[in-house]
Amino acid sequence: MAAKKAQEKTYTVSNPATFEPVATYPLMSPGEVDQAVKRAKAAFPSWSQSAISQRQAILKRAAAVLAENAAEYARQIAAENGKTAMDAMLADIFSTAHLLSHYGKKLGKYLAPVKVEGTLLFPGRKTYYVFEPKGVVGVISPWNYPFTLSAGPVISAVAAGNSVVLKPSSQTTRSGLIVKEIFVKAGLPPDVAQVVTGSGSHTGDALASHPGLDMLFFTGSTEIGNKINVKAAERLIPVIMELGGKDVAIVTKNADIDRAVSGTAWGAFTNCGQTCIGTEIILVDKSIFTLFAEKLARHAGGIKTGMGCGEVGAMTMDSQFRLVIEQLEDAVAKGATVLAGGKPEEGRTGRFFPPTVLTGTTPDMRVRTEETFGPLKCLIPFDTVDEAIAIANASEYGLSASVYTRDPKEGKALAARLKTGSVNINDALVTYAVPSLPFGGVKKSGIGRYHGAIGLQAFTDIKSVTEFYWPLKREFFWYPIPKETETLFPHLMVMMFGQKAADKLKAAGSAVRVAAGSLAARL
Ligand code: NAD
């Protein structure tokens, strides 16, 4: 975490690429979190009743504010996270503007009442369901894509008519504050989306434990997600959990090798490998393994570390930097070979670690089972695709995966067998960037989805409604239940659920006769 100061009332964030201080923020107390939740609660009734068109206008304006200030915001995100401004622009800012504009266009459609088929037993009813905002949503976000992973759930919650309290990672506080800034500039009432600043154990815990929340959205490690899920369960509030991953790319013998090399390298090393849906394990068909390994070693070896466009930025957290070194040392001690990278440049300022590829890894190595979340990747040959699928599905995680093949039949078949929340065929990370695709994981990678229609509706309570206006004083099964009803039901059963057409027709005739007889008494 960022350094704390002055009786722990503030904390200072340093730039991971230079170690220079960037900014100091208040370490908010549980009391301040309580005030924020209370303000959000007070803002809810009015915002929840706001017209969809008003929300759409705000979402579109927020996208424009983001676009107009994109370069400056990218610089600010890079300064606290250590990623390059290009990484911030592409994955944090562009993807968020895209989501804002997507919901800006589609909100009316996604939140429109859904008419559904009624049933013969209840003729004349209108049957539909509606999406109603839940109330106050708590959002807790990580440091790796600090802007988009804060903005995404806030956008969804606010668009669905909720108010929000966001706790960004302390290291990337400014990214959380930018979310609020763009919304306020776009005209959102300030208390509808608030930010509380501070550490996870202090400010984050106060938010996650707050009895005033109606929903919790957490993005972060599986370990903390588990704890927060338990807290939410005690209060019976719904959660969406976006947690860790150990994503696999499968490169079959039918792959375009050059695309597979550059695709897996990008999936593995973008954002310095600190990507929840980043490729961690590259499985390659044995028949093309040597060629693939040579090309990947050359490609990865050619990617420079630094803060320029096309370079791999600095690792954000010291703990992650040390974890990468530990996993690398463990693997090498147990017999793995370094194919590319392997050592940070001596004496260099900043947490820069070169893109590193290992071969000869075995399942007992930490790098094979633990999430790495850094620029250290395993390259593994396989004999059959069954073996590749078995390796991929053995993971306790199930966030995303890639398949590289030129054969669409093979691609779809492998995608169907992977136990993950998403799969990219001949691509990496794309599912997150398409705002209409639901995003989330299975197994220990998470619970629930956001993005798209389903992901927006996840921030609502679904209410089913029936409407009926025929001039009937009572139903044929209400008290006092008429004698005919007893006769009617056997006919009705055959008519509705029987399989033989002749029996159904006969039962329908009888049912209509009995029903007509009882109708007069009910008018
Ligand atoms: P983390 O779990 O350490 O922290 C996430 C957030 O939780 C931070 O804001 C932190 O301050 C807060 N927090 C920590 N302890 C808390 C507590 N006791 N109560 C309440 N809040 C608390 O995760 P991180 O290191 O910031 O992020 C890296 C992890 O996030 C990786 O495991 C990565 O895979 C995962 N991640 C998942 C996704 C996804 O979409 N599935 C996306 C990005 C990152």
Side-chain angles (χ1 to χ4, degrees), residues 1 140-145 149 167-170 198-209 218-225 227-228 231 241-245 274-277 317 319-320 371 373 397 399 432 439-441 445-446 450:
M1 190 201 108
I140 298 179
S141 58
W143 45 261
N144 63 325
Y145 289 91
L149 296 178
K167 207 297 283 177
S169 171
S170 54
S199 68
S201 56
H202 188 65
T203 316
D205 183 62
L207 180 61
S209 316
F218 175 82
T219 308
S221 62
T222 296
E223 186 195 347
I224 303 290
K227 288 187 190 157
I228 288 180
K231 277 186 204 287
M241 292 273 149
E242 301 290 349
L243 308 176
Q274 305 166 118
T275 306
C276 55
I277 47 171
M317 307 296 269
S319 53
Q320 279 304 122
E371 184 182 42
F373 218 56
Y397 295 109
L399 199 48
Y432 179 83
F439 181 83
S445 289
Y450 70 135

Side-chain angles (χ1 to χ4, degrees), residues 54-308:
Q54 182 192 350
R55 293 184 217 164
Q56 285 178 302
I58 290 175
L59 292 167
K60 287 179 193 165
R61 277 202 297 272
V65 171
L66 196 49
E68 284 151 19
N69 297 282
E72 174 55 19
Y73 285 150
R75 192 194 62 74
Q76 293 176 9
I77 295 166
E80 64 180 8
N81 170 282
K83 65 176 71 187
T84 65
M86 182 62 220
D87 277 359
M89 180 68 82
L90 179 69
D92 278 285
I93 293 178
F94 186 87
S95 65
T96 303
H98 210 179
L99 185 68
L100 281 164
S101 98
H102 178 73
Y103 282 154
K105 281 187 214 134
K106 302 279 184 186
L107 197 63
K109 185 174 169 212
Y110 289 171
L111 294 185
V114 178
K115 282 190 196 153
V116 291
E117 195 186 13
T119 154
L120 257 183
L121 187 60
F122 306 109
R125 269 72 170 182
K126 275 193 207 165
T127 44
Y128 57 92
Y129 54 91
V130 294
F131 302 100
E132 296 185 341
K134 285 178 175 291
V136 180
V137 179
V139 174
I140 298 179
S141 58
W143 45 261
N144 63 325
Y145 289 91
F147 179 66
T148 191
L149 296 178
S150 298
V154 173
I155 291 165
S156 312
V158 161
N162 302 282
S163 48
V164 187
V165 178
L166 161 70
K167 207 297 283 177
S169 171
S170 54
Q171 174 65 37
T172 49
T173 302
R174 176 65 194 141
S175 296
L177 293 170
I178 297 172
V179 177
K180 180 170 169 82
E181 191 171 297
I182 60 165
F183 265 127
V184 170
K185 283 187 177 166
L188 187 75
D191 288 349
V192 172
Q194 296 175 71
V195 180
V196 289
T197 62
S199 68
S201 56
H202 188 65
T203 316
D205 183 62
L207 180 61
S209 316
H210 199 289
L213 295 188
D214 299 290
M215 176 180 175
L216 244 174
F217 187 107
F218 175 82
T219 308
S221 62
T222 296
E223 186 195 347
I224 303 290
N226 239 326
K227 288 187 190 157
I228 288 180
N229 198 12
V230 169
K231 277 186 204 287
E234 279 167 358
R235 280 142 47 222
L236 270 182
I237 62 167
V239 294
I240 294 182
M241 292 273 149
E242 301 290 349
L243 308 176
K246 189 82 190 162
D247 288 4
V248 158
I250 298 177
V251 183
T252 80
K253 59 179 186 298
N254 301 312
D256 172 334
I257 295 188
D258 290 327
R259 181 165 180 91
V261 165
S262 43
T264 52
W266 192 75
F269 300 117
T270 184
N271 212 41
C272 203
Q274 305 166 118
T275 306
C276 55
I277 47 171
T279 302
E280 295 234 334
I281 292 183
I282 306 165
L283 300 168
V284 181
D285 190 286
K286 217 169 224 166
S287 64
I288 55 166
F289 186 80
T290 307
L291 179 61
F292 186 93
E294 272 169 27
K295 287 189 174 223
L296 182 65
R298 213 174 315 127
H299 189 74
I303 306 170
K304 300 287 168 245
T305 53
M307 295 305 281

Side-chain angles (χ1 to χ4, degrees), residues 41-53:
K41 231 175 185 60
F44 174 70
S46 154
W47 179 247
S48 65
Q49 295 302 314
S50 59
I52 295 286
S53 57

Side-chain angles (χ1 to χ4, degrees), residues 502-522:
D503 292 352
K504 282 168 83 77
L505 203 63
K506 195 169 153 213
S510 308
V512 168
R513 269 194 304 281
V514 179
S518 85
L519 186 64
R522 294 187 288 125

